[in-house]
Amino acid sequence: MEDEGLDGPSVFGVSLIPETRGIGSHSQQDTVIGSVLIDLTVIKHVEDLRPILESQLDILPTAYRFLTKQRWPLNLKQEQSVSIKCLINSEGVITIRHHYGSKRRIGVLAEDGKSLGFIFFSDMNMKVSHLRKSINFQLTEVRELWDNSWLFLDNNSWPVSTRQEEDVTVLQVLCSHSVRVRFGAWGNTGRQIDSGIELKKDTPVPPPTKIQRMETTSSLSSNDEVVCYTQPHSMSPLHSITEADSPLMGGSQPAKQVLISYVRAEASQYALDLKSELERLRLSVYLDVHEIFGGSDWQDSLNYAVSNCAVFVPLVTPRYGDTQWTNREIKLADVLSKYIVPVSFLKFWPPRCLAIQFATTQFINWKLASSTSFASHGSNESNGIDAVDGCYMWDRPDVVAVSKEIVKRCKRESMKNKKNSTVSSSQVSLISRGFSTRYTVLSGDEVDCGGDGRPSLVVICVHPAQEAFAKDLREIFEGEKLRVWTTLELNQMNGHDDGNSSDDTEILGSEQEIIGTSSQYKRELIFQGKVDEAGVIIFVLSKAFAESGTCKQQVFYCEQRKQVVPLNYEAFEMPGWMSLLIGTNTFEDVQRTDYKSTLLNRVQRAVNSDTMEDTTDYAKEVQINAAVQFICQKLPSTGCIYIAGGTKFFYSKSAAICTCIGQSLADLDNLSVVTGGFYGVGHTISQSFYESRQKRGKDSNVWHILPVKDEQDRSAQARQNADKTFQHVPFGQTIYCGESVRERETIVSRVFDICILVEGGPGAAHEAEEFTWSDHTVIPIKCTGGAAGGKFKVPEKIFEVPPEVDATDWQCLSSKESSPEEIGQAVKNIVLSLMKGAAHQMTCQRSFYKRPSMARSRSLSCS
């Protein structure tokens, strides 16, 4: 268009074009958005055009990119120097296209041109194997893709074999904005997957069995349930593993024969090394990252994997069992009577929190080949936690030796249980009385009576300091014809609980069998048996109980296995581990005048099959899971950093440190900052990040997550209205999620991989506890004090240097001599290391999985 002679504003059209514009015979019509008045003598560059469009057009995409008159897309940096005249075509039209942030929308076409749908994908340089996984998880309703018997076609229309997918990038199979696939690549006879199960064509695949089904309100009908199936992982076995050539024998094979359970912050690389070696020995291995990448319900998928594996291999590092997922996985494996082969990286055995769990389990020393025995004295002198020796490298001879020992034990166990390949009735009973208790109506035989027809057992876990009170409880329940057993009866054996958790820990060598003659071993066996027999567990909570190592072990063992009734004996400060394990239960309180009647009613409901169990706790868990899903749908799928800390500054450098952290993080592309929407630390870091990104022409990528309301007065901490609801944060995007600040803290800890902590009080300490429980990383700016400095009983774990992080950068966060600029740069380096490290590479998709759309409730809304 000739516009050099125009004086004053001119009218130009604005059109939104689809990705497929001008490609093939299926081109779409452009969508006319409207027209705008532009004075080309005043407005010169493209970056000045955006505010004009936003002010003059009623309809405009939330995010978009300009295209030149040749239909070439411009990025934000180019908008600063490109003339507007480069956009206006001969018809006087400016064209724009939807922009999806770091993601790109890719169409999926069959070879004959049939459209199968589209997916969102971020890195075009990733291997095609990752693209296959994203297609399988995002296009679950496309039946043609279900059996996975299709191949990609590259730019030359050459088919890419599944083995070649590890050597070919997405760019090499991308044609304009689509990829093409060819069906029938493996014939019509089905394909053999790692587990040895053959999937015949046109044979319906049953949905996974769910031990703990966490259902949410969905917009899908009952006939439209989306089921995600496990797909081949990027670390393929050297050969196809079938039942005939597998070291494990038996009838029907599980989906994967071996499941590796681990704490990702400590053992990600160990898990990769062990999986690789076990596959060389012809075992099919389930590793969460390779099976749940990019989609599917995390909890349901792990439940399915544990339920269907034959051998459960926990990598027992110092924090194993102290995180939410490892704690649940090991219990579920035990309840289902899986063959458990722990690999120990500890100096002591059994581990502190799982001492009862592993009382009868023989472990394998991780240094098996080098014959390095565990230290027989002391623990890590810096924090009192048993630590892995040396660095995070696992020598290959040791990996090989451990793998061969696992195979050896599997063969031995397989021969022992050859005639018992199906789940026994006792296992079914365990499932019913344990993990499924909260969600299943049970038969009278399973609940009311034990195996000998006697009334159900009530187990009371109590510290010896409350012995007299325990006797009173016994009389109450026995008066109602209930059988009662208290942990005080264990004290009649040799030994006594004095509150020291290390006194009863056996120190075992790598080849040493379980010490069957020790008094502690016998007590743990008795406790296991009583819990298995129990209909309900009562915890008598007191200061002495909270400080007792043995009582802590009992809580860890019982939680999730049985219905628990916590009973507050006295006022005391509840430690973090206790609030996370049983803090969501409804507490009974001895100080209440009617506590005896309410306690008795709860116990009778728990053991009476004719009374429906109280599902309040389950409903709350469902609500939290729904909130997690909601956030995952709203936020970008790339790296998100959560900011926690104080709402006021007490350390003189804190404000400057927060500003520098925000500025440094703004340098990183595809990074988003998320806060709790409060004043202080979160506001300062996110605002600094926001302003720095705006100056550089980048997407702001700032999000704030607030509860809908909180009954406490939070007006000094956030923009809270008189009705206790919260206002939008004036910059970035605000999401409302959760019914209280406390619930919000639980939700965000399950979503985000990394949390930066500056100063902070008890609330910030609780958030740090929640993050560590969820196996996520906290970066404490220790020099600022408060929770970040170790106060308010913040977990000591957060101060340990994570794998892949430079110790110098980590130490910089603790030094009062470090300048704000140095701390900002150190935080940036640490975040980069965590995002590039093995732990993040394996689980970066754990939080941001794609889910079916959900019907929003009042507590789930976005602005």
Side-chain angles (χ1 to χ4, degrees), residues 565-618:
V565 177
L567 175 59
N568 249 341
Y569 176 77
E570 61 187 2
F572 68 100
E573 184 177 358
M574 186 177 294
W577 65 266
M578 184 180 290
S579 63
L580 290 172
L581 283 172
I582 59 178
T584 59
N585 290 270
T586 303
F587 284 71
E588 300 296 334
D589 197 329
V590 173
Q591 306 306 318
R592 291 176 52 183
T593 56
D594 61 342
Y595 92 88
K596 292 183 181 179
S597 59
T598 57
L599 176 63
L600 185 58
N601 287 337
R602 276 185 76 176
V603 170
Q604 288 175 331
R605 286 200 305 268
V607 300
N608 186 355
S609 62
D610 296 327
T611 303
M612 179 174 289
E613 183 183 348
D614 183 6
T615 59
T616 303
D617 296 331
Y618 168 57

Side-chain angles (χ1 to χ4, degrees), residues 350 355-356 359 519-529 553:
I356 300 174
S519 60
Q520 176 66 10
Y521 169 81
K522 292 179 180 178
R523 280 181 283 173
E524 288 165 352
L525 281 182
I526 292 174
F527 184 79
Q528 286 182 358
Q553 292 167 6

Side-chain angles (χ1 to χ4, degrees), residues 651 653 782-785 811-819 823:
Y651 178 52
K653 294 183 181 179
K782 193 172 183 179
C783 65
T784 61
Q811 180 60 34
C812 178
L813 309 183
S814 303
S815 175
K816 296 281 188 180
E817 305 301 320
S818 299
S819 68
I823 292 176

Side-chain angles (χ1 to χ4, degrees), residues 23 135 160 179-180 196 253 337 577 686 785 797 833 860:
I23 300 174
I135 290 175
V160 180
V179 294
R180 294 179 299 154
Q253 289 289 322
S337 299
W577 65 266
S686 60
K797 309 179 188 71
S833 299
L860 301 179

